[in-house]
Amino acid sequence: MRALIVDADGGLYPQGCGRKREALGRLNYLRQTLESAPSDIGVAVLVDDPELPELVSAMAPQRLTLLRGERETAISAYLADSRADDYLILSSSELGKLSSHQLLLDPRTGLSDDVVRDHICSWLSCDGLAGDSGAALGAIRRELVRIVDGTGMPIEGWIEHWLDTEHPALAGAKPSEFMDTFPRRLVVKKLLGAMASGAYM
């Protein structure tokens, strides 16, 4: 199972005035995005505002779970109960040991940020990319095989060489060094897109 976890504080409920109206807009975006998402994706919203559960229940998908309590504890318990092996957490607070699966949000914009929305769409379409580093490497390897297959290039050995070679598009870093967090994995995914178009190899 895959899981998308949204911290309502900052993600759905913004700072400042007009909080409820903006929260409704972000919830509507979340609902529309997930209507076309694969059915194996579970959605959880961590709420700490007394008004928000009613808003979430009214507008969010039926497969949604409401979480309450201390952030790391509540999220860890949900992940254990749901047996999620691939998950993405959207929160404006650092989440310690869960941070490698986290997309850190600006509390002023939350889910309204276009870059955040692009990242969500990328995660929804990339099975394994937000999992642990092994799952992410597996997803990258599968994409590399897809790109190289049919070009006549020898796949065996080439993929590991590419992953462990410094790349100018990554400021001289190796792609394998970008597997520590989901946002950095997306940088590698974009590089793969450029490779598929013939811009890089």
Side-chain angles (χ1 to χ4, degrees):
M1 175 187 166
R2 305 172 68 200
L4 179 66
I5 303 163
V6 182
D7 185 349
D9 185 15
L12 294 177
Y13 232 34
Q15 295 177 343
C17 60
R19 284 164 54 95
K20 184 179 287 189
R21 184 179 69 252
E22 183 66 19
L24 286 171
R26 295 179 186 184
L27 272 170
N28 192 47
Y29 156 74
L30 183 63
R31 179 183 58 77
Q32 291 174 346
T33 299
L34 294 168
E35 278 178 352
S36 58
S39 59
D40 68 331
I41 295 179
V43 186
V45 175
L46 183 65
V47 295
D48 58 7
D49 188 294
E51 292 183 357
L52 199 56
E54 182 180 341
L55 294 177
V56 172
S57 299
M59 296 197 66
Q62 291 183 347
R63 54 186 163 173
L64 184 137
T65 302
L66 293 179
L67 307 179
R68 291 184 176 83
E70 193 274 327
R71 283 177 172 80
E72 284 191 61
T73 303
I75 293 172
S76 296
Y78 169 74
L79 292 172
D81 291 344
S82 64
R83 298 181 180 173
D85 53 4
D86 181 9
Y87 57 94
L88 177 63
I89 305 168
L90 307 172
S91 177
S92 59
S93 301
E94 292 278 0
L95 293 173
K97 64 181 182 179
L98 298 172
S99 63
S100 64
H101 294 264
Q102 176 183 3
L103 186 58
L104 194 61
L105 304 179
D106 183 331
R108 296 166 298 179
T109 55
L111 294 184
S112 298
D113 188 302
D114 287 340
V115 173
V116 169
R117 293 184 177 194
D118 285 346
H119 284 353
I120 293 171
C121 288
S122 293
W123 179 77
L124 290 172
S125 64
C126 294
D127 188 14
L129 203 60
D132 60 27
S133 58
L137 270 171
I140 295 297
R141 285 190 180 99
R142 288 192 297 275
E143 184 65 13
L144 282 167
V145 169
R146 188 189 66 77
I147 291 170
V148 175
D149 192 34
T151 65
M153 293 177 61
I155 295 176
E156 189 174 345
W158 182 86
I159 290 176
E160 296 305 320
H161 174 75
W162 186 87
L163 287 169
D164 289 322
T165 300
E166 297 175 353
H167 204 289
L170 302 176
K174 301 173 184 177
S176 60
E177 296 171 345
F178 270 59
M179 295 294 106
D180 54 343
T181 67
F182 176 69
R184 280 163 60 88
R185 294 167 190 172
L186 286 177
V187 173
V188 177
K189 180 180 180 294
K190 288 182 180 178
L191 176 57
L192 295 180
M195 288 173 57
S197 70
Y200 284 109
M201 279 306 277

